[in-house]
Amino acid sequence: MSQEQATRYPIVLVPGLLGFVKLVVYPYWVGMVPALRRGGATVIPVMVSAMNSSEIRGEQLLGRIDEILRETGAAKVNLIGHSQGALTIRYAAAKRPDLIASVTSVAGPNHGSELADFFELRFPRHTARGRLLNAALLFVGWVMHRLDTGYRGTRLPTDLDAAHHSLTTAGVALFNRQFPQGLPQIWGGQGAEQVNGVRYYSWSGTLQKGRTNRVLNLLDVTHISCQIFARTFTKERGQSDGMVGRFSSHLGTVIRDDYPLDHFDIVNQSLGLVGKGANAVALFLEHAARLKAAGL
């Protein structure tokens, strides 16, 4: 077996909003876990509340990290978070940097999501359409919980309003004032590579005409959704993955912010139906090799 991805510390994968471990037989991180394990890495996808604040999710993650360290005998873990998972792992690293070797944000709304701002403005929770949207999301979350065969723990608490606020520009700005580790000092810049002994990395994608909307992605419902959602962006119009803006995703060392991948493609969802020339699994393999080379 290859050892190219055999990092010193276990890799812990943390999902975003409405996240899961495995829906019946369909994993959140499509193809990632077996590929990394073939490369020698210890990889553990975890579950936190599918809908809740980044702080609550972060506390849940810290509890899970304690369990992982006891189970593996490792001193630290490498955290990789997708979407809101990026905020979740940032919280954990800020609270317990002694337990975290690295934080990697994958399409993380590290400065908030313009899509979340749009829904807050157009679907206020006290209005009929806001209540209808919330009811629909809560139902989806309930169904996904019932179908999640990869998580066997107790049911985790749900707070949709807290989850939504945690993703808005205002909500993330408040979060960032408390947990600024790894954030760029200037818009669109790079952040500190290392803070309190923790290495910070990020990468993300953008919708690109003629690239992300080609081949099998034309049949991908999640990709079509991202194309529709991208129309809500103003500050980063034409520079988003459909849910998170290119520069809003920056954290620590920015590996790249314009992969031809939408918000779901970047973790290889929709059974790997991605745009032409894109390979999300390869990005994770390359990053594990990067972590290994850094002694992490």
Side-chain angles (χ1 to χ4, degrees):
M1 182 175 71
S2 168
Q3 294 296 302
E4 293 179 13
Q5 284 75 42
T7 55
R8 179 181 179 184
Y9 303 113
I11 295 174
V12 177
L13 303 176
V14 183
L17 181 71
L18 288 174
F20 53 89
V21 177
K22 183 187 292 183
L23 294 182
V24 188
V25 297
Y26 179 73
Y28 186 95
W29 310 86
V30 179
M32 309 293 182
V33 175
L36 287 165
R37 286 176 177 167
R38 284 194 296 271
T42 298
V43 189
I44 304 167
V46 301
M47 185 63 184
V48 292
S49 286
M51 292 180 284
N52 217 315
S53 70
S54 299
E55 293 86 347
I56 292 296
R57 287 162 52 94
E59 285 294 331
Q60 294 167 355
L61 175 60
L62 284 172
R64 188 69 183 95
I65 289 170
D66 283 338
E67 294 174 353
I68 290 169
L69 296 181
R70 288 197 299 270
E71 292 165 1
T72 63
K76 298 183 178 184
V77 294
N78 291 299
L79 298 176
I80 300 180
H82 172 239
S83 195
Q84 192 186 6
L87 303 176
T88 306
I89 65 176
R90 285 177 52 196
Y91 175 91
K95 288 291 187 176
R96 292 297 308 271
D98 56 311
L99 302 182
I100 314 302
S102 69
V103 160
T104 302
S105 165
V106 178
N110 293 306
H111 297 272
S113 168
E114 291 188 63
L115 178 63
D117 293 344
F118 173 83
F119 278 112
E120 184 175 55
L121 178 64
R122 298 297 182 90
F123 296 85
R125 61 181 181 179
H126 60 274
T127 64
R129 60 182 175 179
R131 288 192 291 269
L132 182 62
L133 176 62
N134 284 1
L137 289 172
L138 288 169
F139 176 72
V140 170
W142 178 81
V143 171
M144 293 175 72
H145 167 72
R146 301 291 294 179
L147 295 177
D148 194 341
T149 58
Y151 174 68
R152 297 298 184 185
T154 59
R155 185 166 186 182
L156 298 165
T158 293
D159 189 332
L160 181 54
D161 289 335
H164 185 194
H165 181 68
S166 288
L167 297 171
T168 63
T169 300
V172 177
L174 178 61
F175 180 89
N176 286 345
R177 285 196 289 273
Q178 299 176 77
F179 312 110
Q181 293 86 348
L183 289 173
Q185 295 298 307
I186 59 172
W187 179 251
Q190 301 215 19
E193 179 180 2
Q194 187 167 334
V195 183
N196 296 330
V198 180
R199 297 283 186 94
Y200 285 82
Y201 304 91
S202 62
W203 76 76
S204 59
T206 58
L207 299 176
Q208 298 172 26
K209 188 175 181 179
R211 298 189 71 187
T212 53
N213 61 342
R214 292 189 63 183
V215 198
L216 295 177
N217 237 10
L218 291 171
L219 307 175
D220 183 353
V221 174
T222 60
H223 179 70
I224 295 170
S225 298
C226 284
Q227 289 183 307
I228 295 170
F229 292 153
R231 298 171 188 169
T232 68
F233 283 69
T234 54
K235 185 176 183 179
E236 294 200 74
R237 184 175 296 278
Q239 295 291 322
S240 80
D241 64 5
M243 292 189 172
V244 173
R246 174 182 180 181
F247 296 135
S248 181
S249 72
H250 285 200
L251 183 76
T253 298
V254 180
I255 296 165
R256 185 172 164 183
D257 61 7
D258 64 345
Y259 287 110
L261 294 161
D262 69 36
H263 195 71
F264 299 97
D265 288 346
I266 208 157
V267 289
N268 214 37
Q269 288 188 11
S270 298
L271 299 175
L273 303 183
V274 300
K276 185 177 181 181
N279 188 335
V281 175
L283 300 184
F284 280 74
L285 294 177
E286 290 168 6
H287 189 55
R290 182 180 295 113
L291 295 176
K292 179 183 177 182
L296 306 175

